[in-house]
Amino acid sequence: MPKDIVQVEIKRIPLDIEAAGLGMVELTDLAATVEKYMLQLQEEGEIDTLKQALMAALHFAAQAYLQSQNEGGKRKEEESRVDDLISKLKASLDASHK
């Protein structure tokens, strides 16, 4: 089965990326976001491209981690609400059958 490969460019370096659930537009946009962040790092002081790439990777990994943590907290809150509703419904049904 052929894999969908999208070519993007970050800091004039072409990269062939496997499009795992993302389209060309999304991957191109993400590459532009990474490049923009790397350029911001460069403006803060001259550092080599590898260090910029590692700092950018850590930055975006941290953002993804925090987002998943926030979503996990929301999910737990929703599950707690559902459990409360179930308990109240059970109590109500038990009370009406007595």
Side-chain angles (χ1 to χ4, degrees):
M1 174 191 280
K3 296 182 180 183
D4 293 330
I5 304 293
V6 174
Q7 189 173 68
V8 297
E9 190 173 294
I10 298 175
K11 295 195 75 162
R12 289 183 252 139
I13 300 171
L15 302 166
D16 291 331
I17 306 296
E18 185 178 333
L22 296 173
M24 187 174 88
V25 173
E26 290 91 353
L27 287 170
T28 302
D29 187 49
L30 289 170
T33 301
V34 170
E35 181 171 22
K36 181 179 176 184
Y37 185 76
M38 288 179 71
L39 290 172
Q40 288 173 352
L41 289 173
Q42 186 174 343
E43 288 174 2
E44 293 174 10
E46 195 61 38
I47 58 175
D48 66 82
T49 305
L50 176 59
K51 189 170 182 178
Q52 286 177 0
L54 292 172
M55 290 175 72
L58 183 57
H59 169 78
F60 290 110
Q63 282 187 327
Y65 176 79
L66 290 172
Q67 183 175 357
S68 71
Q69 291 296 310
N70 289 338
E71 289 173 358
K74 289 178 186 174
R75 189 174 302 119
K76 287 179 184 176
E77 185 178 313
E78 289 171 353
E79 287 174 0
S80 177
R81 286 183 190 160
V82 169
D83 287 343
D84 272 353
L85 287 172
I86 290 170
S87 296
K88 288 177 182 176
L89 286 170
K90 282 182 181 179
S92 177
L93 286 172
D94 289 344
S96 69
H97 284 8
K98 289 183 179 180

